[in-house]
């Protein structure tokens, strides 16, 4: 039985584009097969519900600040409806953690950030053309909490 899918499109920044291509490279190398953004999202969407537990608010905010979502480069993908729902369902908890609104595209960006952290490949930031200061800040943000820290609001 074929699973329902959903097409999604938005305009992304150059930094977001580079994040996507680097994640495709990391994903492809880990699977030893050519991958796509849709495959990454479909495989990792279930972990979206854990993003608010695995990172400090300031680290997720730093990612979104250094690699903005919106830009002029068009992106259109088709993902499973279940993947869309899992990511969309994670947004309220992320918004609660960040104290700000989060778009679907932002949530996908944070899911890709999680892949980078998981792959422990923070050296990729230089490929984004970031300044040394931004690269250092991004590398500092690219870590998961140990799960024992409870953020105080």
């Amino acid at each position: 039985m074929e699973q329902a899918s959903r097409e999604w499109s938005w305009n992304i920044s150059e930094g977001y584009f580079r994040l996507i291509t680097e994640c495709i490279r990391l994903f492809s190398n880990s699977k030893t097969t050519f991958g796509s953004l849709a495959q990454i999202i479909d495989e990792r969407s279930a972990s979206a519900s854990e993003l608010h537990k695995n990172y400090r608010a300031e680290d997720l905010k730093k990612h979104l600040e250094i690699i903005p979502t919106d830009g002029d480069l068009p992106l259109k993908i088709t993902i499973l409806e279940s993947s869309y729902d899992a990511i969309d369902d994670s947004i309220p908890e992320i918004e609660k953690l960040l104290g700000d609104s989060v778009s679907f595209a932002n949530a996908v960006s944070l899911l890709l950030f999680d892949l980078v952290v998981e792959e422990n490949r923070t050296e990729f930031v230089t490929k984004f053309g970031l300044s040394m200061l931004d690269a250092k800040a991004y590398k500092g943000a690219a870590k998961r909490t140990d799960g024992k820290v409870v953020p105080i609001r």
Side-chain angles (χ1 to χ4, degrees):
M1 183 170 135
E2 191 172 319
Q3 294 184 16
S5 61
R6 181 176 203 155
E7 188 173 273
W8 191 256
S9 62
W10 66 92
N11 291 329
I12 60 171
S13 70
E14 183 178 335
Y16 198 136
F17 174 82
R18 291 176 189 231
L19 174 65
I20 290 168
T21 58
E22 184 60 18
C23 285
I24 291 170
R25 185 188 70 79
L26 292 170
F27 181 83
S28 297
N29 285 341
S30 72
K31 301 290 183 187
T32 61
T33 187
F34 291 107
S36 68
L37 176 59
Q39 289 173 314
I40 294 169
I41 293 171
D42 288 338
E43 184 170 304
R44 299 187 63 84
S45 63
S47 66
S49 65
E50 300 297 310
L51 288 171
H52 73 282
K53 297 176 187 175
N54 291 335
Y55 297 98
R56 298 178 311 159
E58 57 267 22
D59 294 335
L60 296 180
K61 286 180 181 181
K62 185 57 72 175
H63 164 77
L64 293 173
E65 176 186 316
I66 293 172
I67 300 181
T69 300
D70 298 327
D72 298 326
L73 301 173
L75 175 68
K76 183 161 71 170
I77 60 170
T78 301
I79 60 174
L80 296 174
E81 186 74 32
S82 59
S83 298
Y84 179 88
D85 291 343
I87 294 167
D88 194 51
D89 290 348
S90 74
I91 291 175
E93 288 296 332
I94 297 170
E95 289 177 333
K96 186 176 172 184
L97 175 66
L98 299 183
D100 201 359
S101 64
V102 173
S103 68
F104 183 82
N106 288 146
V108 170
S109 181
L110 294 173
L111 198 61
L112 295 175
F113 172 72
D114 186 55
L115 170 65
V116 170
V117 172
E118 187 176 289
E119 290 292 326
N120 196 21
R121 305 281 176 105
T122 55
E123 73 273 5
F124 82 98
V125 294
T126 57
K127 294 178 183 177
F128 284 179
L130 299 176
S131 70
M132 290 303 288
L133 184 62
D134 281 347
K136 183 177 179 180
Y138 194 84
K139 188 172 182 175
K143 60 187 173 296
R144 290 182 174 163
T145 62
D146 63 10
K148 298 174 189 164
V149 178
V150 177
I152 298 173
R153 292 178 190 52

